[in-house]
Amino acid sequence: MRVDIAWWDLDGTPQTIDSLREHLRDGAVADWSDVPGLRLKLWIADRRHNRWGAVMLWEADRPAALPPNRAAQLIGGPPAHRTRFDVEAAVEGVHTLPGPDGLGPAFMALASAAATSGDEQPCTNT
């Protein structure tokens, strides 16, 4: 397995963590749900340092064809930092959360709105 990590420094760009989070709510997550070989993608934010990024776990090398890099389009350029690593070992611990689909602050507003409207549907990215 392989891991890719990409970070954008948002200082001096037209985007904020909140605007990029809204972009995730608008469907950017779903584009990645059918990518061959992608085990997991996490969108990450560091408010203290004003950074936005992603961590992608691949079965092997990432495929050549990927969804458009909407973050790069919105931010105005490629990541400031991109690293790639081999995974030497992996384990999943005991936890009570469901699978990661639909988790995170980007989806909290959707879940809150559904609860307010009486809609009991779980929040997912598909």
Side-chain angles (χ1 to χ4, degrees):
M1 287 192 303
R2 306 270 300 167
V3 171
D4 288 339
I5 301 173
W7 272 115
W8 282 267
D9 295 314
L10 297 179
D11 291 340
T13 74
Q15 298 300 321
T16 66
I17 289 170
D18 293 326
S19 68
L20 292 165
R21 182 182 289 165
E22 190 63 34
H23 160 70
L24 294 178
R25 287 185 187 128
D26 289 342
V29 173
D31 292 346
W32 290 86
S33 64
D34 294 324
V35 173
L38 180 65
R39 294 288 314 250
L40 178 69
K41 182 170 181 176
L42 304 169
W43 286 264
I44 55 178
D46 177 357
R47 284 193 184 274
R48 183 171 172 218
H49 296 105
N50 199 29
R51 295 186 295 187
W52 179 264
V55 177
M56 292 157 280
L57 178 61
W58 300 98
E59 291 178 334
D61 286 328
R62 68 181 179 172
L66 295 174
N69 191 333
R70 291 188 189 173
Q73 294 168 354
L74 292 168
I75 294 167
H81 310 279
R82 183 182 293 275
T83 53
R84 182 170 288 152
F85 302 95
D86 291 320
V87 175
E88 298 295 329
V91 65
E92 184 172 349
V94 177
H95 56 83
T96 59
L97 293 175
D101 287 355
L103 296 179
F107 296 113
M108 291 173 92
L110 297 174
S112 177
T116 303
S117 70
D119 182 0
E120 297 297 324
Q121 297 297 317
C123 182
T124 64
N125 68 357
T126 55

